[in-house]
């Protein structure tokens, strides 16, 4: 089984990604850190229900990586947007074996005392035009939500839109049970609706 862990908002810069998320949700993000392996950095926001939001971008001060960055960030351009959803599991290899090819190979990662493995495709692009979830497995009990302040924001619905949404939903159905995640046919994209301290907000 897999379950929703966090959502990622990408931008051409970390400031652009963070500002967009803060504007929609009405609350500022907290400092995060850097991901040395993929040359990115982030800011975070604690959500209800043990979820969190990550604003992420290429770190301009990081050395050039010898391989594609995760979340297809090497090709990112345009306004900041909700780019990815990430699901955690207890057995990453088993989850990958249960899904079609294309979700990537596990990469060991660490930031401070946080340690995890993420399945990253060789070209950085997840199946279904990045509309498929990224898969990860946390090592140990440490999790970002344990150190993030409550923002008063709660995910209501995550809409995954793609021309082949039905096929994606069918592939994930044996592993993912979450009434908040909805699949719809349409132009590839993600749309997350939140209850926030300033009312209903949508990240797209």
């Amino acid at each position: 089984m897999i379950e929703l862990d966090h959502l990622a908002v990408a931008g051409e810069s970390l400031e652009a990604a963070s500002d967009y998320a803060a504007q929609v949700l009405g609350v500022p993000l907290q400092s995060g850190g850097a991901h040395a392996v993929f040359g990115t950095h982030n800011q975070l926001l604690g959500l209800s229900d043990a979820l969190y939001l990550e604003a992420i971008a290429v770190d301009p001060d990081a050395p050039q990586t010898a391989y594609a960055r995760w979340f297809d960030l090497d090709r990112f351009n345009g306004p900041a947007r909700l780019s990815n959803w990430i699901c955690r599991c207890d057995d990453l290899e088993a989850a990958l074996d249960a899904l079609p090819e294309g979700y990537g190979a596990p990469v060991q990662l660490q930031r401070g005392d946080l340690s995890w493995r993420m399945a990253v495709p060789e070209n950085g692009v997840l199946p279904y035009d990045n509309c498929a979830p990224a898969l990860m497995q946390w090592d140990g009990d440490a999790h970002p939500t344990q150190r993030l302040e409550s923002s008063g924001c709660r995910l209501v619905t995550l809409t995954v839109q793609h021309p082949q949404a039905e096929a994606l939903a069918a592939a994930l159905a044996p592993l993912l049970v979450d009434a908040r995640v909805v699949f719809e046919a349409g132009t590839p994209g993600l749309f997350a609706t939140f209850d926030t301290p300033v009312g209903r907000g949508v990240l797209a």
Side-chain angles (χ1 to χ4, degrees):
M1 298 297 292
I2 64 176
E3 57 184 335
L4 187 60
D5 187 79
H6 65 282
L7 303 175
V9 171
E12 291 186 347
S13 70
L14 183 55
E15 181 180 18
S18 299
D19 286 352
Y20 170 57
Q23 179 183 9
V24 170
L25 301 179
V27 287
L29 278 67
Q30 295 179 230
S31 60
H35 311 107
V37 172
F38 288 105
T40 58
H41 54 171
N42 68 1
Q43 292 190 353
L44 306 174
L45 182 71
L47 306 172
S48 300
D49 304 318
L51 301 177
Y52 70 99
L53 180 75
E54 173 184 33
I56 189 168
V58 173
D59 184 350
D61 296 326
Q64 179 63 42
T65 60
Y67 35 78
R69 289 182 172 89
W70 53 4
F71 302 148
D72 200 18
L73 284 172
D74 287 317
R75 300 192 305 163
F76 187 92
N77 62 81
R81 59 184 178 272
L82 183 64
S83 60
N84 295 89
W85 56 303
I86 299 90
C87 289
R88 62 178 178 263
C89 56
D90 293 329
D91 188 334
L92 183 56
E93 282 77 12
L96 291 171
D97 286 343
L99 290 167
E101 292 185 2
Y103 284 79
V107 178
Q108 184 67 50
L109 300 159
Q110 186 164 355
R111 182 169 63 81
D113 64 339
L114 295 171
S115 178
W116 70 100
R117 291 186 301 142
M118 177 82 81
V120 182
E122 187 174 349
N123 63 358
V125 184
L126 286 157
Y128 297 93
D129 303 292
N130 286 311
C131 289
L135 301 178
M136 67 176 301
Q137 180 179 343
W138 291 100
D139 296 328
D141 297 326
H143 191 268
T145 55
Q146 298 167 350
R147 61 206 66 188
L148 293 172
E149 299 174 6
S150 175
S151 65
C153 298
R154 180 180 67 87
L155 177 67
V156 178
T157 304
L158 171 64
T159 301
V160 181
Q161 188 172 287
H162 192 274
Q164 297 173 297
E166 186 175 348
L168 174 56
L172 295 174
L175 302 179
L176 176 69
V177 179
D178 193 328
R180 297 168 300 183
V181 182
V182 178
F183 299 88
E184 292 184 355
T187 303
L190 302 175
F191 307 88
T193 302
F194 297 86
D195 281 334
T196 81
V198 295
R200 190 60 65 93
V202 178
L203 287 172

